[in-house]
Amino acid sequence: MKIAKVKELLEAELLCSGEDLENEVFSACGCDMMSDVLAYVKNQAVLLTGLVNPQVVKTAEMMDMRCIVFVRNKRPTPEMMELAEDSGIVMLATSFTLFEACGRLYINGLRGEAE
């Protein structure tokens, strides 16, 4: 699924790295515990989270994730946005809860890594 489609399905606001909206993602992970992301997620994924700290971007970068979606209208700090821009990671924000955002992506064909 293209990141542009993720943005559309989640009615999300683009926060940074708009030039990368045509990149493909192949799985998604909804999580606030970055240790779980490190343990279970592979590359080319979307991370959906309500956690707002620089570790989110650093974890996404380590795992070769292409997009971070902040749920519940959460907003990253300027430091986080700079880290994401430097890493080429798209950042989106949606008003949906983590549960609903993951569900919308799932029913439209974006699955988790284990599937």
Side-chain angles (χ1 to χ4, degrees):
M1 179 180 290
K2 291 185 185 280
I3 295 174
K5 183 68 173 177
V6 171
K7 179 182 177 297
E8 175 189 325
L9 290 171
L10 299 182
E11 301 172 18
E13 175 187 350
L14 177 64
L15 302 176
C16 72
S17 292
E19 67 275 11
D20 299 318
L21 289 179
E22 293 304 307
N23 280 345
E24 292 276 339
V25 290
F26 303 104
S27 64
C29 173
C31 194
D32 288 341
M33 292 185 63
M34 294 302 104
S35 59
D36 283 351
V37 175
L38 290 169
Y40 299 110
V41 176
K42 302 300 181 222
N43 59 10
Q44 299 173 340
V46 176
L47 173 60
L48 296 99
T49 188
L51 185 62
V52 181
N53 69 43
Q55 192 62 35
V56 171
V57 181
K58 292 174 184 174
T59 301
E61 181 181 20
M62 282 179 38
M63 301 308 293
D64 194 28
M65 299 178 102
R66 298 187 175 186
C67 179
I68 301 169
V69 179
F70 294 97
V71 297
R72 300 185 311 274
N73 287 318
K74 299 283 182 118
R75 297 283 188 228
T77 65
E79 175 190 6
M80 292 172 67
M81 291 181 70
E82 185 177 327
L83 285 170
E85 284 285 352
D86 291 346
S87 300
I89 297 171
V90 176
M91 281 187 162
L92 304 172
T94 183
S95 62
F96 294 123
T97 64
L98 182 59
F99 178 81
E100 186 169 358
C102 289
R104 284 174 173 255
L105 296 179
Y106 186 88
I107 64 172
N108 283 280
L110 193 60
R111 303 295 194 235
E113 194 65 32
E115 296 181 46

